[in-house]
């Protein structure tokens, strides 16, 4: 069954209760949401992001449930706030839905979004609905940060520090796409279906680290953004990456899916880990390499040789991973 537009908005209003975030004067139901500007402390800056997830580009309905799709689209958007060292305040959600999209599917999608919002202590205070050929989920998030973390202040000698696991989500997507059924792959499927935005680690890095990004497109590409913006070279340490693969079980998963764990970590996206440039160790982060003088991104092999990493990772307008 498919309700009309206004009945659908009422369903969403029920679902997205906006009593979770402070300073929301008006949530869903009017032409726009109204926020109390003093809810952001005077010492804090506002940080604002938008992220769109498109069916067949970011998800397929035969690979993920609508709850998963709602969850991961919200977490992907929130991860950009984490990457700024910001804390989410409130969100807007715009959906494009095909005419045959069922009410129960919309309920599941909204449940996933709402669960993610709740877990991050934020609320969806409005949005938009339109009919479209495919499902798209667009999420804007407004957040606050005392000291927003940019990409451009890494220096030679800083470590590359990572919060969270990398390479697992790409292995999970690989396993889902190839319909690999093996209990040992449940963890990596979950990593792709239910990522977490690392808000806490981002806030910890803010003020301690020099630069921060989130890893949506693979370690090489996203740490490359810091290198490029800061005018330094990023050198990953093969030993550190292999150690991480061992710790997370990615090394044995790599054998199961016949993909080199190093490739999964450097080129596989959507884990939404954070990567920082920092002179000092950061709590909850592991060291993946070093920024040095120069440019580009490289992998230092255990033999000591450096391999340049060109054009690795996801790019919407190039080929896939
Ligand atoms: N259509 C657009 N109009 C204006 N600015 C844009 C547009 N698309 C991207 N940007 C800006 O370009 C910068 C990089 O955007 P991008 O989407 O690549 O972010 P990212 O964090 O690197 O990737 P991800 O989407 O995986 O989070 C951001 O500052 C973003 O606001
Ligand atoms: C069906 C399907 N095929 C491929 C992928 C892989 N993928 C899509 S977008 C992206 C980078 C992050 O997106 P963005 O850069 O827009 O934030 C990656 C790794 C997927 N998730 N689903
Ligand atoms: Mg980002």
């Amino acid at each position: 069954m498919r309700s009309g537009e206004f009945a659908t908005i009422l369903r969403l209003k029920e679902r997205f209760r906006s009593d979770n975030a402070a300073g929301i004067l008006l949530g869903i139901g009017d032409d726009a949401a109204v926020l109390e500007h003093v809810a952001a402390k005077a010492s804090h800056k506002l940080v604002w992001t938008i992220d769109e997830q498109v069916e067949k580009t970011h998800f397929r309905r035969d690979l993920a449930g609508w709850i998963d799709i709602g969850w991961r689209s919200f977490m992907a958007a929130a991860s950009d706030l984490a990457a700024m060292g910001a804390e989410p305040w409130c969100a807007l959600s715009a959906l494009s839905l095909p005419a045959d999209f069922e009410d129960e599917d919309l309920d599941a999608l909204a449940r996933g979004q709402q669960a993610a919002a709740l877990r991050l202590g934020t609320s969806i205070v409005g949005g938009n609905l339109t009919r479209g050929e495919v499902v798209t989920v667009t999420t804007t998030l407004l957040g606050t940060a005392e000291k927003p973390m940019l990409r451009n202040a890494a220096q030679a000698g800083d470590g590359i520090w990572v919060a969270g696991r990398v390479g697992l989500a790409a292995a999970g997507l690989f396993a889902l796409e190839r319909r690999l059924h093996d209990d040992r792959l449940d963890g990596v499927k979950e990593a792709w279906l239910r990522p977490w935005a690392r808000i806490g680690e981002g806030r910890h890095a803010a003020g301690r680290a020099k630069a921060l990004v989130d890893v949506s497109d693979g370690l090489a590409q996203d740490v490359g953004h810091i290198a490029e913006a800061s005018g330094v070279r990023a050198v990953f340490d093969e030993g550190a990456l292999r150690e991480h693969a061992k710790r997370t079980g990615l090394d044995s998963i790599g054998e199961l899916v016949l993909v080199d764990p190093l490739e999964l970590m450097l080129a596989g996206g959507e884990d939404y880990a954070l990567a920082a440039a920092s002179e000092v160790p950061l709590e909850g982060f592991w060291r993946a390499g070093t920024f040095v003088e120069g440019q580009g991104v490289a992998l230092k092999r255990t033999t000591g040789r450096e391999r340049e990493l060109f054009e690795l990772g996801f790019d919407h307008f190039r080929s896939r991973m």
Side-chain angles (χ1 to χ4, degrees), residues 66-90:
W66 292 111
I67 297 190
D68 302 316
I69 292 162
W71 173 280
R72 64 194 299 285
S73 64
F74 198 89
M75 286 294 180
S79 178
D80 276 323
L81 288 189
M84 298 299 287
E87 181 176 17
W89 178 7
C90 55

Side-chain angles (χ1 to χ4, degrees), residues 51 80 151 214 216-217 225:
D51 194 71
D80 276 323
R151 298 174 171 187
D214 66 324
S216 51
D217 298 325
H225 291 320

